[in-house]
Amino acid sequence: MPTLEGGRRRRGRGGSGQLSAPRLRSDVPERAGLDPDRLRRLAATVHGLTAGDRPWAAGAVLAVGRGPVLAVEEAAGWAVRYAAYDPRGGAGVELPAAARVPVTAGTPFDLASLTKLFTAVAAVQQIERGTLGIDAEVGGYLPDFRAAAAHRLTVRQLLTHTSGLRPELPLYDCADDAERLARLRAEAPAGAAGTYRYSDVNMLLLQQVLERITGRALDVLVHEGITRPLGMTATCFGPCPGAAATEDQRRPWAKADRGMLRGVVHDENAWALGGVAGHAGLFSTARDLAVFCRALLAGGSYGPARILGPDFVELLLTPPGLGFALDQPWFMGELAGRGAAGHTGFTGTSLILDRATDTFVVLLANTVHPCRRPPDSRPRAATATEVARAVRGR
């Protein structure tokens, strides 16, 4: 395991002597040791999630793979189905059939909180390089963030959601960037450190740390350190023309009045911060996320590229997980229990990688189109369970 303070230096990314890891290839489920009948039924189920007058999601894309094989890539429904949301009728105002935009396998989706996984990887990259200490105090890097410094918050606490910080700050109500930054600098924990409390503010502070120690913006760090070396050309912070639509964002159900959103970030705080935030803002496709999963399952390498060394992937995914949630049946179904890692996003996205079976599941959906509603992760869990049962010999 790497040292916890600063990390152990290893070969540079793409350095000489590095073995090339297999790239993903599309192939039949049998080549991946997956039950083809179960996966055919699962692919059909995705279409059911987007059917009817009040579907689980307007559109969805499912990607399932094991080892280097991408065994399922199924698209269903609509990237854009509604023109607006009618609060009186409690339903969407549907576009004429000719004006709707179908989902394809290459449709980008607003990842929402899946962005946190990329922020976590960017942080662990700095730990590997020795420029960031996992148990170092945030105040050591950000002395002007008075509350974090006074409460001696650590990088590990930010990554594990144990800082005590509240879930979010209403940065979208601030007058300008100066006021938003002042709010972040003054924000003190609302609870005792050491207790799990999921918080977007953790990743916003981590973003500030990363940008301070590297001198580069988060979108640059993600591009140069993760998406470009992995060839994830469809993954970026917005704007992202052609992305699946999300919400007709209006008060009182939303926190801002922005109208129907497509290609711009859904999260109100990320929007207020210009679209680049540690907790939200990325757009991506199912295939690009399949590559991200494959790289982590392969110990940090994909083709000739390496984004992390194996020891640091282990650090990332060792309980309780750094940025990643581990073994959560509520969205991982029967894949949970042996070290499965992943995350969900408020817009309807989810990602699971199961190291025990070398399997990944990506389900991207726009469940908030045309309007947000109480989250329902049962389809995510059911999908993961079907994949778990498709792994032959499980």
Side-chain angles (χ1 to χ4, degrees):
M1 288 293 294
T3 56
L4 296 183
E5 183 66 33
R8 184 167 71 222
R9 294 185 181 274
R10 298 172 64 88
R11 290 194 187 103
R13 290 170 184 80
S16 60
Q18 179 180 320
L19 295 176
S20 180
R23 295 178 181 272
L24 271 179
R25 69 180 192 275
S26 297
D27 211 330
V28 295
E30 293 91 332
R31 294 284 189 181
L34 295 169
D35 184 323
D37 292 331
R38 283 192 178 276
L39 292 191
R40 274 193 291 269
R41 290 195 296 270
L42 180 57
T45 299
V46 176
H47 290 268
L49 295 176
T50 65
D53 294 335
R54 295 177 184 267
W56 179 71
V61 180
L62 173 69
V64 178
R66 189 180 186 201
V69 175
L70 179 59
V72 174
E73 194 173 16
E74 192 73 17
W78 304 99
V80 184
R81 177 174 174 175
Y82 304 99
Y85 174 69
D86 177 11
R88 292 171 296 180
V93 179
E94 295 202 78
L95 289 164
R100 298 179 193 175
V101 180
V103 167
T104 69
T107 297
F109 284 76
D110 182 332
L111 297 188
S113 285
L114 295 194
T115 302
K116 294 180 173 75
L117 304 184
F118 289 80
T119 304
V121 170
V124 175
Q125 286 177 335
Q126 296 305 316
I127 293 170
E128 181 178 18
R129 290 176 176 176
T131 56
L132 181 66
I134 191 169
D135 289 315
E137 293 184 9
V138 172
Y141 304 109
L142 302 173
D144 50 324
F145 281 62
R146 301 178 303 279
H151 289 268
R152 306 189 68 177
L153 300 185
T154 69
V155 171
R156 185 190 295 274
Q157 289 170 346
L158 300 184
L159 281 163
T160 57
H161 295 287
T162 56
S163 66
L165 291 165
R166 56 175 157 160
E168 75 164 9
L169 284 172
L171 301 178
Y172 45 83
D173 280 339
C174 294
D176 51 32
D177 286 344
E179 184 181 347
R180 282 185 274 273
L181 186 58
R183 290 289 301 271
L184 277 174
R185 285 173 171 162
E187 182 65 14
T195 302
Y196 179 84
R197 188 184 193 189
Y198 184 79
S199 170
D200 289 348
V201 184
N202 287 319
M203 292 300 171
L204 289 173
L205 285 185
L206 187 59
Q207 175 186 2
Q208 294 291 324
V209 170
L210 292 173
E211 293 182 343
R212 185 74 60 89
I213 66 175
T214 64
R216 292 181 290 172
L218 180 64
D219 56 339
V220 176
L221 292 174
V222 169
H223 175 68
E224 293 183 352
I226 304 172
T227 60
R228 186 171 65 183
L230 294 181
M232 297 172 62
T233 58
T235 304
C236 62
F237 286 92
C240 182
T246 54
E247 186 175 30
D248 180 9
Q249 203 168 88
R250 288 181 278 157
R251 298 177 192 265
W253 58 84
K255 301 161 189 171
D257 292 299
R258 301 166 62 201
M260 184 62 75
L261 305 179
R262 186 186 185 198
V264 292
V265 65
H266 174 270
D267 182 90
E268 292 94 343
N269 272 341
W271 163 69
L273 292 166
V276 178
H279 70 292
L282 274 175
F283 291 78
S284 188
T285 63
R287 182 174 280 264
D288 261 23
L289 290 181
V291 170
F292 181 67
C293 291
R294 185 66 235 141
L296 294 176
L297 287 169
S301 296
Y302 184 78
R306 180 175 74 80
I307 60 168
L308 283 174
D311 288 351
F312 292 88
V313 174
E314 189 70 25
L315 175 63
L316 187 75
L317 302 180
T318 294
L322 302 182
F324 284 77
L326 303 184
D327 290 327
Q328 298 296 311
W330 61 273
F331 78 93
M332 297 179 180
E334 291 182 10
L335 282 177
R338 295 190 294 176
H343 215 286
T344 64
F346 185 79
T347 50
T349 58
S350 60
L351 174 159
I352 306 166
L353 50 97
D354 181 30
R355 293 192 292 166
T357 61
D358 201 22
T359 304
F360 64 83
V361 183
V362 175
L363 180 59
L364 302 183
N366 53 348
T367 58
V368 296
H369 183 54
C371 184
R372 67 187 68 192
R373 52 190 166 177
D376 178 8
S377 282
R378 288 175 296 178
R380 291 166 168 155
T383 298
T385 292
E386 198 65 20
V387 172
R389 295 174 181 178
V391 178
R392 288 179 171 168
R394 183 178 171 86

